[in-house]
Amino acid sequence: MARRAIKREHKEISPSGSPASMSAPAPASVPSNTMGPPSRKRAREEFPDAQSIAASFIRSHAPSAETRPRGNEEDQEPMLLEMRARQGGSMIGSPQSSQNVDTSFTHQSFAHPTFTDIGVKLREFNNTIGNLQQLGVSHVAELPELVLVGDQSAGKSSLMSGLARVDLPRSAGVGTRCPLHIRLINSSNAHWSCTVALQLDYDFEPKGKIKKSDVTATNQFPPWVKKSHRDIKIFKTIFDPSEIEEVLRWAQVAILNPNNDHELYIPGDGAVAKGKDLADATRSAAAQFSPNIISLEIKGPELPGLSFYDLPGVFLSPDQEEDEYIVKVVRNLTRHYIKREHAIIMWALPMNADPENSISLGIIREAKAAQRTIGIMTKADKLAPENEAQWLAMFRDEKQSVGHGFFATSRPPGESLENVGKWEELFFTHEVGSWPAEFDEFKERCGVDLLGEYISVQLGDAFAQSLPSIKGKVYGRLKEIERQLADLPGIPTNVEHEVKKSLYQFLGRMKTAIKDSEFSSEWNLLNNQFRDIILKIKPTCIVKDPDAQTIDLSDGDTEVSAVTPSRRPRPSDSTMRPTPSKRPRQDNEAPATPVKQESFSTSGLFRASPAISTGAAEANGPFARFRNLGRLTVNIRDIRMQVRKKQRPGMPRDLVPDEVRETMCLDAVRKWQGPLETYIDKTAELLETVTNQALEESLGVLRRRLIFKECQTYLKQFIDQIVSDQRARLSEMYNSETYQIYIMNEDAFTRYKKQELDQLRRARAIFRLKAVALIEWGYEIKRLEDMSEDERNKEHRILTQQLPKIGIDPFETEIEVAAFVRGYYNTAATRFVEGVTMNVNSNLFRIMGSSDLDIFMDQQLGLFGQAGQSPFSYLKNLRTFAKKRALIASNVYIHLMEEDEKTANLRQQLRGEMDKLSQAMSSINSLENSPASGSSSETIFPAPVIDLDDNLDDSLDEDI
């Protein structure tokens, strides 16, 4: 099929460089439209000569051969301008018909170097626009931009796919909840790639359910609030066009969940993307809409140098009533982009709908943007015959007039991108479908390819016109930032030296702080308190005879509780020998009388440290609330019941099952959990106290600087982390003790058990003798170590003489079990306390004195830049890497020396903006100095190169 010739409009340039007014009037029947290419009923401009085209791209919108698919040039037909027949030796409507025109130019191919240079320059201009848009410098200078708007179901998705030359998602829910920015880059690399990123200009600040009335002129996109700067987060780079729909869908979910890490939603990598259905993730998003942007940077061969925004389609009513506010939000967003004075609006309207009902057209007219608008008639294959006149009138600029006129496109769904393009070309040439022949006069405006070429030229043209102004404003803002930075509070001259010196003092002091005698003394006191409470909560034993009185034996005292007879024994009764005819009264023979309390001393047991175990120190210590955990927890009557439950039939009564002993032992040690948690907490408090003191000593003079606050914060984080790890280790030790009884030091266990058995037997003997009045009722029970030798000898004689008279103790087996439990408790407690304190010393304190703190602080403060730098990239560009690393470190040092958070944030914001504007200036300078600008006296795109400051780059480097 013969290639269709391409028509182009041309503008004359006034001496100042702005387009001059067309000299040829339009026919009276057709309104004049100087901003768009004329229809066949409009006057045509005469093509300028080759020299004028070489002098300025603005004088010709002819495309380069670079804008078309390139193959073997020998096999291609030349692309010729379609010329109108001359009348009287000049072109129809030529404003310069009297001038000499080089007619040979009309026979030149678009592969001519002049046109090739124009195409190269066009791509460079549009690529530069894309760079500036991604950097987010529109707050400094408004950029020319293409904005695609339209009502819902206007065919924008199909149109985008055609312009981007990639199958973009067309189904509902994709691109309808946030704007898209699509940037197309013609790359010499044969490989196609697409980088999807999130451009975050707004913060998400929800304040309850949003109502329609919440959307106002000052709050256009609730609950989103404008940020002071743009954050860019790379989402994913793909190399297969078939993946683009899934990646775009997940990118939209990520942008609608701004409080979550965007990496959670990356297909194939993110935890949410791998574990949750996409539809469910979309429905459960935190936000229903976002003004933040998803950007697509698509690189590949034969792509047009083009970038444009696609906005969600405007609509009248949502699916659910609670989303009514979104109708206003979407309109506000559309209005926000349309009102930008340098925006070229691409208005999509389907030919199967009434254009009079277009909501988007109303917004365009309201913003007085009709002269900046390109009308794009989509779904041309669905045009109804009865509506042909209406759409012809629009083509002829008789209805719904827009400055750039109208284009028509047809992209049937369900076909591959390649097939759709071929089908569209056949459709508009009447080889398929039913495109009316009445529209043939506008065939140069039919098809996505021609539309893409046109808007690419328009964008480059607009950028060429505004480039001097953009550069001047960017430069002016850079200078303003320099002044603002200079006005901020002073930073030490050698900031790096000050930071490193301060950190060296701080980290050095940390390593010695835990070895100080004051800290060691405090921690030793805590260890003693922990040891004493563990020993103190050893289970006390109730040795009460079920039919008589109770003796409660503990380490420090023994409570002897008795249900006494109806009369108290006379003093002489204590010497009376019981006879069969006169026995002591039983509990049920008389009402109870008040319990008599007697103290009792023990021997051979661990005793609490006198400094902390008595008086106020013990009562008010950190473990005071645990003092009674072991009180009255062992009862000889309960022991007998457990033994009987566990004994097998026929087992001797004095044979105790091992399960009884183990259960009682483990129940006793399980009470360590509370004291252990308290010990860990108090150790952490002690560690924080001593480290904060060291921080004050080393960085106290910088207390108003951020280095002090950040070191304090990160030190707390470090201590929390290592204490958490230590807590886990001690928890394992506790779990080991409560898993099963375990004895390796049998000598110690045997010794402890014997001591406990002696104590319990002594208490039990005194109880029994008092019960039968063989010992005075008022006999005072003392600790053996508190008794004189005469007192001990006297008690020993009484017990030796009197016990044989009352026979064998019926609870001897239970007393032996109680002694076993208490003996095991002492053995395990000694082991546990020793292990816990040693573990803290050898792990927690060792880490504090190691280089772990240094490494952690380096990472948190960011002194060495970002981790994970590839050694290959480092070797590949050592100088660049070194500069970037030095820049990062320099910024961190300055940040740490800020006086307050507000100043630090302002400085960081200004420096971030300076970095972006510096990149923008570099991009502009690269454009101006590119080879396509030419070194001859006549250049293409003659936007003046402004030499604002020869030392601009140097001054920026100095500021950084």
Side-chain angles (χ1 to χ4, degrees):
M1 178 185 300
R3 186 183 305 274
R4 286 184 291 155
I6 302 175
K7 297 181 182 179
R8 290 292 179 266
E9 67 165 325
H10 304 279
K11 297 182 215 175
E12 287 302 317
I13 303 300
S14 65
S16 63
S18 61
S21 301
M22 294 183 180
S23 58
S29 60
V30 181
S32 176
N33 185 348
T34 61
M35 295 193 65
S39 69
R40 286 188 178 273
K41 291 191 177 183
R42 297 181 187 171
R44 296 292 184 129
E45 293 185 42
E46 181 180 18
F47 288 104
D49 57 30
Q51 183 178 4
S52 64
I53 289 185
S56 172
F57 174 82
I58 304 174
R59 301 187 186 184
S60 173
H61 292 162
S64 160
E66 300 287 336
T67 64
R68 303 287 294 181
R70 303 183 64 181
N72 188 341
E73 293 183 359
E74 295 180 358
D75 298 332
Q76 286 188 335
E77 295 179 87
M79 297 171 60
L80 302 179
L81 292 173
E82 183 180 1
M83 306 300 296
R84 295 292 301 275
R86 288 182 177 273
Q87 295 181 359
S90 65
M91 284 183 165
I92 296 176
S94 172
Q96 299 174 348
S97 59
S98 62
Q99 299 179 7
N100 295 326
V101 179
D102 184 1
T103 57
S104 64
F105 172 75
T106 60
H107 300 289
Q108 294 180 0
S109 167
F110 275 10
H112 187 280
T114 297
F115 294 100
T116 302
D117 290 345
I118 292 173
V120 171
K121 195 62 177 179
L122 176 63
R123 286 195 302 273
E124 291 180 355
F125 266 59
N126 288 336
N127 283 340
T128 302
I129 293 175
N131 285 334
L132 300 183
Q133 287 171 343
Q134 285 190 330
L135 289 170
V137 299
S138 58
H139 66 290
V140 175
E142 286 195 19
L143 302 174
E145 57 192 6
L146 294 169
V147 180
L148 178 57
V149 303
D151 298 356
Q152 274 190 345
S153 303
K156 292 193 298 92
S157 297
S158 298
L159 182 59
M160 278 196 305
S161 296
L163 292 173
R165 299 186 184 177
V166 65
D167 285 316
L168 295 173
R170 303 187 188 184
S171 55
V174 179
T176 61
R177 298 194 182 190
C178 64
L180 297 180
H181 179 230
I182 300 176
R183 182 184 177 193
L184 309 173
I185 301 175
N186 190 332
S187 172
S188 58
N189 192 331
H191 299 292
W192 182 93
S193 68
C194 175
T195 297
V196 179
L198 311 181
Q199 297 179 357
L200 308 179
D201 298 310
Y202 295 83
D203 285 326
F204 186 62
E205 298 181 2
K207 298 178 181 179
K209 188 176 181 179
I210 305 171
K211 303 183 296 294
K212 191 175 180 179
S213 59
D214 294 331
V215 185
T216 64
T218 57
N219 186 25
Q220 294 187 335
F221 314 122
W224 300 90
V225 179
K226 182 72 173 177
K227 295 159 59 78
S228 61
H229 61 285
R230 168 175 288 181
D231 289 332
I232 298 177
K233 296 181 179 180
I234 302 300
F235 190 70
K236 187 172 186 178
T237 298
I238 58 177
F239 303 94
D240 183 354
S242 65
E243 299 178 16
I244 196 167
E245 176 168 357
E246 182 185 24
V247 174
L248 268 182
R249 286 178 178 273
W250 279 111
Q252 181 175 257
V253 175
I255 215 167
L256 295 175
N257 289 280
N259 295 331
N260 296 340
D261 187 349
H262 69 285
E263 294 184 354
L264 294 172
Y265 305 97
I266 297 177
D269 298 320
V272 176
K274 288 194 292 187
K276 196 169 186 178
D277 180 70
L278 177 58
D280 292 339
T282 303
R283 283 191 295 269
S284 60
Q288 295 299 311
F289 173 86
S290 175
N292 289 322
I293 300 167
I294 297 176
S295 73
L296 288 77
E297 183 179 271
I298 303 174
K299 295 181 180 180
E302 302 180 356
L303 287 177
L306 190 64
S307 63
F308 61 92
Y309 292 92
D310 172 55
L311 304 184
V314 292
F315 56 100
L316 289 175
S317 59
D319 294 335
Q320 299 181 3
E321 185 176 353
E322 61 263 25
D323 293 335
E324 282 285 345
Y325 76 96
I326 298 181
V327 175
K328 293 180 65 176
V329 168
V330 172
R331 291 194 185 190
N332 284 343
L333 183 73
T334 303
R335 188 179 296 110
H336 173 73
Y337 279 84
I338 289 177
K339 288 175 66 176
R340 298 177 181 177
E341 293 183 1
H342 292 78
I344 301 173
I345 311 304
M346 297 188 293
W347 167 40
L349 64 162
M351 298 187 79
N352 62 343
D354 187 351
E356 297 287 347
N357 296 328
S358 172
I359 308 172
S360 303
L361 179 60
I363 300 175
I364 291 171
R365 288 174 173 172
E366 176 189 338
K368 302 186 185 313
Q371 289 301 309
R372 295 185 278 111
T373 298
I374 304 169
I376 305 173
M377 303 173 182
T378 63
K379 304 182 182 181
D381 53 305
K382 296 184 178 181
L383 172 62
E386 61 271 18
N387 294 330
E388 292 178 8
Q390 180 182 25
W391 294 96
L392 271 172
M394 294 171 65
F395 257 128
R396 293 168 179 164
D397 204 17
E398 296 170 354
K399 297 182 64 175
Q400 280 82 38
S401 176
V402 291
H404 289 266
F406 287 89
F407 280 78
T409 65
S410 180
R411 316 293 288 187
E415 296 287 343
S416 67
L417 185 64
E418 181 180 0
N419 291 339
V420 167
K422 292 179 179 178
W423 187 94
E424 184 182 53
E425 186 171 359
L426 295 173
F427 174 76
F428 286 121
T429 56
H430 309 292
E431 297 187 36
V432 298
S434 57
W435 180 240
E438 288 79 1
F439 289 87
D440 283 352
E441 60 180 303
F442 305 105
K443 63 181 180 181
E444 76 276 10
R445 294 190 140 239
C446 295
V448 169
D449 287 346
L450 292 175
L451 171 65
E453 293 169 3
Y454 178 80
I455 60 178
S456 182
V457 169
Q458 293 300 314
L459 188 62
D461 189 358
F463 187 58
Q465 294 289 343
S466 57
L467 180 59
S469 173
I470 292 172
K471 182 173 181 179
K473 290 179 179 178
V474 170
Y475 176 81
R477 178 56 183 163
L478 280 170
K479 285 301 183 183
E480 175 63 24
I481 292 175
E482 289 180 17
R483 288 190 290 271
Q484 289 181 330
L485 287 172
D487 292 339
L488 293 177
I491 298 295
T493 304
N494 193 343
V495 63
E496 181 176 351
H497 171 74
E498 291 295 332
V499 170
K500 287 183 175 179
K501 181 184 71 173
S502 301
L503 288 177
Y504 177 81
Q505 293 174 348
F506 164 61
L507 294 172
R509 185 67 187 91
M510 286 296 104
K511 292 177 174 57
T512 60
I514 58 175
K515 298 180 181 179
D516 290 349
S517 58
E518 181 178 355
F519 174 80
S520 298
S521 175
E522 291 291 331
W523 186 59
N524 189 55
L525 175 62
L526 180 65
N527 288 343
N528 289 337
Q529 292 173 323
F530 177 61
R531 178 200 64 195
D532 290 344
I533 194 62
I534 293 297
L535 295 176
K536 185 173 184 58
I537 62 177
K538 177 178 64 178
T540 60
C541 182
I542 300 177
V543 294
K544 173 183 177 181
D545 189 331
D547 297 324
Q549 80 184 158
T550 298
I551 299 177
D552 175 15
L553 180 65
S554 65
D555 288 344
D557 55 23
T558 299
E559 295 179 352
V560 182
S561 302
V563 180
T564 61
S566 58
R567 67 177 181 86
R568 299 182 68 81
R570 296 186 300 275
S572 59
D573 289 343
S574 62
T575 60
M576 295 176 59
R577 180 176 301 177
T579 61
S581 60
K582 187 175 183 180
R583 60 179 179 82
R585 293 183 181 272
Q586 302 301 316
D587 289 349
N588 58 357
E589 293 179 353
T593 58
V595 175
K596 176 179 175 59
Q597 304 290 332
E598 298 187 40
S599 61
F600 184 101
S601 80
T602 61
S603 64
L605 299 177
F606 284 121
R607 300 189 63 186
S609 173
I612 61 174
S613 61
T614 59
E618 182 180 5
N620 300 320
F623 303 99
R625 66 182 185 277
F626 303 116
R627 294 181 60 193
N628 295 322
L629 277 182
R631 182 175 178 79
L632 308 179
T633 54
V634 177
N635 189 322
I636 57 174
R637 182 169 52 185
D638 293 338
I639 294 175
R640 173 168 291 182
M641 292 177 61
Q642 291 187 47
V643 170
R644 289 178 177 176
K645 286 181 180 179
K646 300 298 181 181
Q647 279 182 334
R648 297 193 305 270
M651 182 181 293
R653 187 171 62 85
D654 59 350
L655 185 60
V656 180
D658 292 339
E659 185 180 353
V660 174
R661 300 177 188 271
E662 183 166 33
T663 298
M664 295 182 64
C665 289
L666 296 183
D667 286 344
V669 301
R670 287 192 180 97
K671 294 181 174 60
W672 294 346
Q673 186 171 13
L676 178 63
E677 290 292 333
T678 299
Y679 174 75
I680 300 172
D681 292 341
K682 294 300 178 181
T683 299
E685 291 178 11
L686 184 60
L687 192 58
E688 287 184 13
T689 299
V690 72
T691 52
N692 283 330
Q693 289 175 352
L695 180 65
E696 285 285 347
E697 293 173 7
S698 55
L699 296 180
V701 295
L702 301 175
R703 189 176 294 103
R704 295 182 58 189
R705 303 281 181 175
L706 288 182
I707 186 174
F708 181 88
K709 296 178 181 178
E710 293 200 8
C711 284
Q712 189 176 46
T713 299
Y714 297 140
L715 179 62
K716 177 68 165 58
Q717 292 178 5
F718 181 77
I719 292 177
D720 288 346
Q721 181 59 53
I722 61 175
V723 167
S724 177
D725 295 341
Q726 183 64 54
R727 192 184 302 273
R729 285 191 289 268
L730 299 186
S731 179
E732 285 297 322
M733 295 179 63
Y734 170 80
N735 291 338
S736 297
E737 293 290 350
T738 57
Y739 172 64
Q740 65 180 30
I741 62 173
Y742 189 84
I743 302 172
M744 285 295 293
N745 191 348
E746 294 188 8
D747 291 342
F749 170 68
T750 301
R751 182 173 66 254
Y752 290 138
K753 184 175 70 170
K754 181 178 182 305
Q755 291 172 353
E756 295 298 332
L757 186 60
D758 291 344
Q759 294 299 318
L760 291 172
R761 282 176 173 171
R762 177 189 175 215
R764 177 68 178 168
I766 294 174
F767 152 72
R768 293 179 67 208
L769 292 177
K770 279 190 173 185
V772 295
L774 292 181
I775 290 183
E776 296 179 0
W777 180 260
Y779 179 79
E780 182 180 1
I781 305 176
K782 300 179 180 179
R783 295 176 178 271
L784 290 178
E785 56 268 33
D786 294 336
M787 299 171 66
S788 66
E789 184 175 356
D790 290 341
E791 290 174 329
R792 288 196 296 272
N793 290 337
K794 179 179 179 182
E795 180 182 286
H796 179 70
R797 287 195 301 271
I798 293 174
L799 295 179
T800 302
Q801 294 173 3
Q802 302 297 342
L803 280 177
K805 298 177 181 179
I806 58 177
I808 298 175
D809 186 356
F811 284 92
E812 176 63 20
T813 299
E814 288 75 10
I815 292 295
E816 187 277 331
V817 172
F820 182 96
V821 173
R822 286 162 61 94
Y824 177 79
Y825 184 95
N826 285 336
T827 305
T830 304
R831 175 179 64 207
F832 183 66
V833 171
E834 191 84 12
V836 165
T837 55
M838 183 180 71
N839 197 285
V840 169
N841 185 65
S842 61
N843 285 287
L844 185 63
F845 297 158
R846 176 181 57 81
I847 293 174
M848 283 299 301
S850 70
S851 61
D852 290 7
L853 178 60
D854 305 45
I855 297 172
F856 179 82
M857 296 298 289
D858 287 342
Q859 291 174 342
Q860 296 301 314
L861 294 174
L863 296 180
F864 298 104
Q866 297 179 353
Q869 176 69 32
S870 168
F872 297 103
S873 61
Y874 173 80
L875 294 174
K876 181 178 179 181
N877 197 342
L878 181 62
R879 184 178 179 184
T880 301
F881 178 80
K883 286 184 177 179
K884 289 183 178 179
R885 178 171 174 175
L887 176 61
I888 293 172
S890 175
N891 290 337
V892 171
Y893 295 137
I894 293 174
H895 170 78
L896 291 175
M897 281 296 170
E898 298 286 0
E899 287 192 352
D900 55 69
E901 193 68 32
K902 182 179 179 180
T903 302
N905 290 338
L906 178 58
R907 193 186 300 272
Q908 182 179 7
Q909 175 187 333
L910 291 174
R911 294 185 68 82
E913 185 181 357
M914 173 179 280
D915 180 59
K916 290 181 179 180
L917 293 178
S918 299
Q919 294 180 51
M921 186 65 74
S922 175
S923 182
I924 294 172
N925 289 336
S926 297
L927 173 66
E928 293 179 336
N929 298 325
S930 65
S933 296
S935 58
S936 62
S937 60
E938 293 184 332
T939 60
I940 304 171
F941 281 95
V945 179
I946 304 176
D947 186 9
L948 296 170
D949 189 346
D950 291 338
N951 299 321
L952 174 63
D953 294 336
D954 294 337
S955 66
L956 295 180
D957 290 340
E958 291 174 2
D959 288 336
I960 291 175

